Amino acid sequence: MKFTLGWLKEHLDTSADLDAVTEALTRIGLEVEGVENPGERLAGFKVARVLTAERHPQADKLQVLTVDAGDGQPLQVVCGAPNARAGMIGVLGTPGAIVPANGMELKVSAIRGVESNGMMCSTRELELGEDHDGIVELPADAVIGTPFADYAGLNDPVIDVAITPNRQDCMGVRGIARDLAAAGLGSLKPLAQVYRSDTIAPIAGEGPGPAVRTDDPAGCPAFYAQEVRGVTNKAAPEWMQRMLTAIGQKPISALVDITNFISVDLGRPLHVYDKAKLTGGLAARKAKDGEQVLALNGKTYMLDSSMTVIADDVAVHDIGGVMGGEHSGVSDSTADVIIECAYFDPDHIARTGQKLQLTSDARQRFERGVDPAFLDDGLAIATKLVLDHCGGTASGVTRAGSPPLAPRAVRYDTKLAETLGGLAVAEDRQRDILTRLGFAVGPGSSPGQAWTVTIPTWRRDIDGPADLVEEVIRIEGIDNVPAVPLPRIPGVAKPTATPEQKLERKLRRVAAARGLDEAVTWSFISDTQARAFGGGAWSLANPISEDLKVMRPSLLPGLLAATARNANRGATGVRLFELGRRYLADGAKSKERPTLGVVLAGDKRQRSWQAGKAVPYDAFDAKAEALALLAAAGAPLDNLQVMGAAGETWHPGQSGTLRLGPKTVLAAFGMLHPLTAKAFDLDSPVAAVELYLDAIPGKRSSGFMRPAFAPPALQAVKRDFAFTVPADLTADALTRAVRGADKAAIAAARVFDVFERDGVRSMAVEVTLQPRDKSFNDAELKAIADQVVFAMAKLGATLRT
């Protein structure tokens, strides 16, 4: 939120300078994101008088001016503005000044052979408006030589503050001033004084109020309105335009600017309707499915029955609490207006804005929660400003519905400031802080007993004693909380990492050692990305973005999105991994599953004179990564089985799973389905791995899972076998059968050749035999070979001769 220092001091009676204000804001939890002084951009621009204006000797549309800049040395300036004339007062840009509109530095130069010492400026060139038909004309009483920024009141620093979602009271300048006053940076001025009035009270007006009602008390509990007849919608007063322009809002007209000003000044959004464009009365009601409204941003929105709208007897004119409609907006010809001051339910506003993907200043305030007790005062201030600056006659006030004003109180023990907040604060000081913030502090039943603290209506975020501790500590100063070391148990500290944490640390190191780059992606993904992986089981009711709505069912969507970003920036080979959680649903309970995801995309090996073309990643690269990481995790590789396709997300012929038995899936690996890759704008094949860490069997609580390794005393013997095998027999099934033929003698088996032709399929396997106590003799070797052949026969394989 932006405001100027001068605007702040309209509410805060203080002599503090800019540095003191910004330091105090950050200290009390209102982080200052930036400070900008618009006057600094106008350094070198002065108020100047045109003494003479003569025709340029070489150009019909140019004039040669003699300009007095207040230093007694008239300057010659070439100017093309049609309104330039002797005696007028304007704005002179002197040599060395930077023109805000285009960044051009002014220099002494010759224009058509005549020397020019600067430039007389238009409002567009100074970025103070859109007028470029002529140069700025200032009143006759403007003091010659005055820096233009000082004359125009633009030397007023603009402060940009980040408002957290829980601080709805600080969405207006007055709320920020209240916090600073509580922090001791001055005192909060009475609201009547700020608005130059004896009191803030509803304006009685003449005749009955406008016909308004609320048919949706859940979405719009209260709808207040007042009519002003006979207005003249001219330009807003100069001071209001200056304030709005300073914070980046474009002045439009007095009626519109008044509502924008009150929204920023007091955090109270309003809306003004042109009564002549309405048919019948106004009602806050639920939208009908399929209804449409053309909003003030020029876009048409399709509504549904969950949204609250403001409508007359014919059409919808306002997306309640989000944005007004264009058809009933005020214009220069508007004569009669209805000023709306309503209270909308924050949850309804948030859901409507999310569905329509529509943000506005009004939505930001209403979804946080505006002050429900400020409807009468807000409407009175708006009506007063309209009467003051647009004229007209006010009607009575119509109050439809009632805002939620049930009093809320909290029992508060002042000792909590020290026991919970870590800072001892005197009771009198705590009472003063809370009172300055607007809380009503009642005494306890006896000295030393808990107080009864009534929460102000504008502090929707306060819910219990801990919130009051936060208020006291942030105003007293979080920097004053002493640093106290935690108590330490004597002796050597015991390790605190859990087995799961140790496993994840080890896998991170191993993955990095294998050349994988770690990525950290959001735990939330878009619904489109989730559908590519079967859909998410859990969605957020109030996401910060539609792209971060669904809790990820897999780590691969985030990694694929990161891969696409890298590929779009010229990366030819991407090797990413991530350790995190995926979120599934088992029955009625959610499950966080620790998972390691790997994505391999692009070129595994770039083209070269040795290898020729670039080599892409394939399913076997993914399998190698899966096996290496499972080995690091302590999974029993010898017992793993490779089973069929990993699922619809994966390529049906180039993927698989690694399992312990038919049900326990430790990993999925292989190539992703082309449609999956395409969903993430990836055109080339992508290999991937997902390791399910919670499925890996843990170590036994005591002892070793296997005896310590001891190298064999005798040399191993290797024998090769070639089998004609059925077409559907996998290498994994073959090697598993070979190892099972004689578990005592056969140490390993691996396929080293595959031959296929004319419907015949052959596999060659290398078998490693490890003698124990003595070397094998010929008879023993033959017996083992027979057992291998017999085991293969069970699978339909025959020994080739």
Side-chain angles (χ1 to χ4, degrees):
M1 178 180 159
K2 293 183 178 181
F3 55 91
T4 66
L5 181 62
W7 195 340
L8 177 69
K9 290 186 176 183
E10 289 292 322
H11 291 271
L12 184 67
D13 189 359
T14 181
S15 59
D17 60 11
L18 177 65
D19 290 339
V21 169
T22 55
E23 187 278 330
L25 285 169
T26 300
R27 173 165 46 85
I28 62 177
L30 301 174
E31 181 184 358
V32 176
E33 291 193 317
V35 177
E36 179 185 3
N37 188 349
E40 293 176 352
R41 299 187 305 156
L42 297 176
F45 293 87
K46 296 181 178 181
V47 176
R49 184 192 304 275
V50 179
L51 300 177
T52 64
E54 303 293 339
R55 179 180 174 183
H56 192 291
Q58 303 295 331
D60 293 339
K61 294 185 178 181
L62 296 179
Q63 297 187 76
V64 180
L65 311 180
T66 303
V67 180
D68 177 13
D71 55 4
Q73 300 292 328
L75 299 174
Q76 180 174 282
V77 177
V78 176
C79 179
N83 65 331
R85 63 190 183 277
M88 74 171 292
I89 298 177
V91 180
L92 171 67
T94 58
I98 306 297
V99 180
N102 55 25
M104 178 181 68
E105 181 180 355
L106 298 179
K107 299 178 181 179
V108 178
S109 60
I111 300 178
R112 293 287 186 94
V114 177
E115 184 180 272
S116 181
N117 297 274
M119 181 176 73
M120 298 297 290
C121 302
S122 69
T123 55
R124 183 190 294 180
E125 289 161 339
L126 299 175
E127 290 191 338
L128 299 177
E130 295 300 323
D131 184 14
H132 194 57
D133 295 332
I135 58 177
V136 176
E137 291 193 50
L138 300 179
D141 59 356
V143 179
I144 306 303
T146 303
F148 178 67
D150 292 339
Y151 171 81
L154 297 175
N155 265 327
D156 192 2
V158 177
I159 305 169
D160 188 2
V161 175
I163 306 298
T164 54
N166 64 310
R167 291 306 308 275
Q168 68 284 341
D169 59 307
C170 288
M171 290 300 290
V173 178
R174 185 164 183 81
I176 294 173
R178 183 188 296 111
D179 263 23
L180 289 172
L185 213 68
S187 59
L188 187 67
K189 297 179 182 179
L191 191 57
Q193 178 184 340
V194 174
Y195 281 91
R196 280 78 172 172
S197 177
D198 295 333
T199 183
I200 301 295
I203 296 174
E206 300 178 3
V212 300
R213 68 183 190 275
T214 177
D215 297 336
D216 179 20
C220 179
F223 186 178
Y224 291 11
Q226 190 163 19
E227 182 179 344
V228 182
R229 297 180 290 273
V231 301
T232 301
N233 190 20
K234 53 188 177 181
E238 187 275 334
W239 62 267
M240 185 180 293
Q241 292 189 51
R242 186 174 66 249
M243 284 181 165
L244 293 175
T245 300
I247 63 172
Q249 293 198 15
K250 179 182 177 181
I252 298 173
S253 66
L255 291 171
V256 175
D257 293 349
I258 285 170
T259 61
N260 290 339
F261 173 77
I262 293 175
S263 180
V264 177
D265 192 49
L266 302 173
R268 164 27 79 180
L270 302 153
H271 190 64
V272 179
Y273 299 91
D274 187 334
K275 187 180 179 183
K277 299 177 181 179
L278 301 177
T279 303
L282 289 173
R285 61 168 174 81
K286 289 292 187 186
K288 300 173 184 177
D289 289 332
E291 274 190 312
Q292 295 182 351
V293 61
L294 176 63
L296 288 172
N297 61 2
K299 297 180 180 180
T300 299
Y301 293 93
M302 184 75 69
L303 310 174
D304 64 41
S305 58
S306 69
M307 302 173 184
T308 301
V309 297
I310 307 297
D312 62 10
D313 295 344
V314 175
V316 174
H317 291 285
D318 188 342
I319 306 171
V322 179
M323 186 171 288
E326 190 170 285
H327 294 314
S328 59
V330 296
S331 63
D332 293 342
S333 60
T334 297
D336 301 331
V337 296
I338 295 176
I339 305 172
E340 167 209 302
C341 185
Y343 179 84
F344 295 97
D345 177 70
D347 294 339
H348 279 71
I349 297 300
R351 286 193 292 267
T352 298
Q354 289 161 12
K355 284 185 177 181
L356 299 177
Q357 297 187 21
L358 176 59
T359 57
S360 65
D361 289 341
R363 175 192 165 184
Q364 289 181 349
R365 288 165 172 80
F366 277 122
E367 72 181 354
R368 284 172 164 86
V370 299
D371 183 2
F374 198 71
L375 271 70
D376 269 321
D377 289 351
L379 186 58
I381 291 171
T383 303
K384 177 182 182 301
L385 289 176
V386 170
L387 293 174
D388 289 348
H389 301 294
C390 301
T393 304
S395 72
V397 176
T398 300
R399 300 175 178 85
S402 58
L405 293 175
R408 298 183 300 134
V410 174
R411 297 287 291 172
Y412 176 62
D413 185 350
T414 57
K415 296 177 183 177
L416 288 173
E418 182 175 11
T419 59
L420 189 59
L423 182 63
V425 182
E427 286 193 3
D428 291 344
R429 173 60 177 155
Q430 293 193 50
R431 183 185 295 273
D432 179 62
I433 289 173
L434 293 175
T435 301
R436 283 172 171 263
L437 289 172
F439 295 87
V441 181
S445 56
S446 61
Q449 295 297 311
W451 296 344
T452 299
V453 179
T454 302
I455 302 168
T457 53
W458 59 81
R459 291 305 300 271
R460 182 170 172 261
D461 58 308
I462 302 299
D463 189 53
D467 297 320
L468 297 180
V469 171
E470 180 184 352
E471 296 300 298
V472 170
I473 298 301
R474 72 179 181 86
I475 297 298
E476 185 68 8
I478 192 72
D479 293 338
N480 295 326
V481 177
V484 179
L486 294 173
R488 179 165 181 166
I489 300 174
V492 179
K494 295 181 179 180
T496 58
T498 64
E500 291 78 11
Q501 290 172 328
K502 291 179 180 179
L503 174 61
E504 291 184 6
R505 292 175 185 174
K506 183 175 182 180
L507 288 175
R508 277 193 174 92
R509 291 195 297 269
V510 172
R514 293 186 59 82
L516 298 171
D517 297 312
E518 184 172 11
V520 179
T521 66
W522 291 101
S523 296
F524 309 106
I525 58 178
S526 68
D527 188 56
T528 302
Q529 292 177 336
R531 283 200 301 270
F533 284 80
W538 305 95
S539 296
L540 300 185
N542 186 24
I544 60 175
S545 166
E546 286 297 312
D547 290 335
L548 300 172
K549 182 178 182 179
V550 181
M551 300 183 75
R552 61 186 180 193
S554 166
L555 268 63
L556 296 183
L559 290 173
L560 291 174
T563 300
R565 285 193 295 272
N566 281 273
N568 292 338
R569 287 158 178 79
T572 57
V574 179
R575 294 172 57 86
L576 298 178
F577 82 95
E578 181 177 11
L579 260 168
R581 302 290 185 271
R582 56 196 177 100
Y583 303 91
L584 308 179
D586 290 349
K589 296 183 179 180
S590 64
K591 292 290 185 180
E592 291 189 13
R593 299 293 181 86
T595 307
L596 188 151
V598 176
V599 165
L600 309 172
D603 297 338
K604 177 174 65 174
R605 186 171 63 245
Q606 295 183 354
R607 62 180 182 175
S608 68
W609 62 271
Q610 292 174 309
K613 294 182 179 180
V615 179
Y617 290 101
D618 58 26
F620 295 105
D621 295 311
K623 182 180 180 182
E625 297 297 336
L627 291 173
L629 293 169
L630 285 172
L637 296 189
D638 291 342
N639 298 332
L640 292 182
Q641 296 175 266
V642 179
M643 293 194 175
E648 295 182 356
T649 302
W650 303 80
H651 195 296
Q654 301 178 34
S655 64
T657 57
L658 293 169
R659 308 190 182 203
L660 283 174
K663 294 184 178 180
T664 305
V665 181
L666 270 58
F669 69 90
M671 305 302 294
L672 291 178
H673 197 288
L675 293 179
T676 303
K678 187 176 181 180
F680 293 85
D681 296 326
L682 292 167
D683 298 326
S684 58
V686 179
V689 177
E690 268 201 326
L691 262 63
Y692 310 125
L693 305 185
D694 56 332
I696 299 175
K699 292 183 178 180
R700 297 173 184 173
S701 58
S702 61
F704 295 96
M705 294 185 68
R706 57 181 179 271
F709 174 75
L714 300 174
Q715 186 173 351
V717 178
K718 294 185 177 180
R719 291 288 185 268
D720 294 343
F721 296 84
F723 296 99
T724 302
V725 299
D728 59 348
L729 183 65
T730 64
D732 179 68
L734 184 147
T735 55
R736 187 178 296 278
V738 169
R739 289 198 304 269
D742 190 336
K743 295 181 180 179
I746 298 176
R750 70 179 185 89
V751 173
F752 67 87
D753 185 41
V754 177
F755 173 83
E756 294 186 28
R757 181 180 295 176
D758 299 330
V760 177
R761 187 165 186 251
S762 171
M763 288 188 188
V765 60
E766 177 188 83
V767 181
T768 301
L769 308 176
Q770 181 60 59
R772 302 296 180 185
D773 300 327
K774 63 184 184 67
S775 298
F776 294 120
N777 55 39
D778 291 342
E780 290 171 333
L781 291 174
K782 185 178 184 308
I784 296 173
D786 291 342
Q787 289 177 311
V788 170
V789 172
F790 180 73
M792 294 305 301
K794 293 181 179 180
L795 299 178
T798 57
L799 185 67
R800 292 182 59 190
T801 57

